[in-house]
Amino acid sequence: MTETTVEHVRSPLATPPEETPGHGLLLGRKVVVTAAAGTGIGFATARRALLEGADVVISDWHERRLGEAQEKLAAEFADQTVGQVVCNVQESAEVDALITAAAGELGRIDVLVNNAGLGGETPVADMTDEEWDRVLDITLNGTFRATRAALRYFRAVEHGGVIVNNASVLGWRAQRGQAHYAAAKAGVMALTRCSAVEAADFGVRINAIAPSIAKHPFLAKVTSDELLDELASREAYGRAAEVWEVAATIAMLASDYTTYLTGEVVSISSQRA
């Protein structure tokens, strides 16, 4: 009996497209993005919001990288507001101060993007309490703290708003070494659904994205290039998402194109082949 070898044909979508230009989806909106320093989804989201016409405040715990990100964005979008607030999402007081400071600088807040999260790669049998607690505290508890602060703000000002959370397909899928991260992201999904039901009472929509893999330099620091390449090769496109592709979906969820959508988790994935 002869074995049949299945050859994977390279997808015509394997080459990333050019970044889509802005279309004014967030014109005049005031947007806050957490964990926006560096080269990842947070920075790309802040840039996309600016491309779509918003004024933005970015936050991160790393003051130097945050300042560099702010300078880069301000140079590209000189006619728009690009503020910065140092914030550690593990501290409730700092998260509350972020919302207060952003509202003061922007005049109001229309959109909060909860992007802060921490990963890693450790088998459960070898994982320490400290590793588990740190990933859960930043990724899930940090999203809770920022959501709570934003909802208190939106409830008080009574002009409605939008919150977009960054989850992950690992909230659904199983992957070795990712129990802490997957548990945290599944928690973000549940938090999104439950808080959305409550937030509807005062005109706030809350949704989440769940990217499969968006490769950027920071990701390579917490896992191996070999694993990232393997995961990307399993996608139907045979590649990881560009961070701007993830950011564009966040902008859509923050815009008036999704006014009848809340409590949902939108997967950003080309599906595993």
Side-chain angles (χ1 to χ4, degrees):
M1 184 174 181
T2 304
E3 291 187 3
T4 301
T5 301
V6 178
E7 293 186 3
H8 289 280
V9 178
R10 179 178 169 82
S11 168
L13 298 170
T15 301
E18 294 293 323
E19 182 174 10
T20 305
H23 289 81
L25 296 187
L26 301 175
L27 190 62
R29 303 293 170 86
K30 313 298 181 180
V31 178
V32 180
V33 183
T34 67
T39 59
I41 292 172
F43 180 85
T45 298
R47 185 174 180 275
R48 171 53 57 175
L50 289 158
L51 276 173
E52 298 294 350
D55 292 317
V56 173
V57 165
I58 59 175
S59 80
D60 209 292
W61 69 273
H62 196 292
E63 187 170 2
R64 177 184 59 79
R65 288 203 303 261
L66 179 64
E68 291 171 351
Q70 189 273 339
E71 289 176 3
K72 185 180 295 185
L73 292 171
E76 184 176 0
F77 301 95
D79 296 331
Q80 292 162 255
T81 299
V82 184
Q84 60 171 314
V85 177
V86 176
C87 176
N88 178 359
V89 297
Q90 292 182 278
E91 300 293 336
S92 291
E94 292 192 27
V95 174
D96 293 343
L98 165 64
I99 297 302
T100 300
E105 181 158 1
L106 297 173
R108 68 177 190 278
I109 297 172
D110 298 308
V111 179
L112 168 67
V113 179
N114 279 316
N115 177 66
L118 179 69
E121 189 175 359
T122 307
V124 171
D126 299 323
M127 191 176 296
T128 65
D129 285 357
E130 289 74 21
E131 285 178 294
W132 175 271
D133 290 344
R134 180 167 168 77
V135 169
L136 267 290
D137 194 36
I138 292 173
T139 307
L140 176 56
N141 296 347
T143 300
F144 157 71
R145 293 181 188 106
T147 298
R148 178 180 61 189
L151 287 180
R152 288 173 175 172
Y153 165 80
F154 287 132
R155 182 175 61 185
V157 297
E158 298 182 328
H159 65 52
V162 179
I163 298 173
V164 183
N165 297 326
N166 190 355
S168 168
V169 293
L170 289 186
W172 295 309
R173 297 177 183 171
Q175 185 174 312
R176 289 176 177 272
Q178 298 291 329
H180 48 356
Y181 184 72
K185 291 301 190 179
V188 170
M189 292 177 176
L191 172 64
T192 298
R193 290 189 289 268
C194 293
S195 59
V197 173
E198 300 170 7
D201 293 344
F202 34 96
V204 174
R205 295 186 290 110
I206 306 178
N207 292 293
I209 59 159
S212 55
I213 178 171
K215 194 171 181 180
H216 53 86
F218 178 77
L219 195 59
K221 294 181 180 180
V222 295
T223 190
S224 67
D225 287 335
E226 292 76 18
L227 177 59
L228 294 174
D229 289 342
E230 178 190 345
L231 293 174
S233 71
R234 295 181 193 173
E235 297 290 317
Y237 290 179
R239 67 171 176 89
E242 298 292 303
V243 287
W244 73 261
E245 292 177 300
V246 177
T249 303
I250 292 173
M252 179 191 71
L253 290 174
S255 78
D256 289 341
Y257 281 90
T258 53
T259 52
Y260 198 73
L261 189 70
T262 198
E264 297 295 339
V265 180
V266 178
S267 176
I268 305 177
S269 169
S270 67
Q271 300 298 319
R272 290 187 174 179

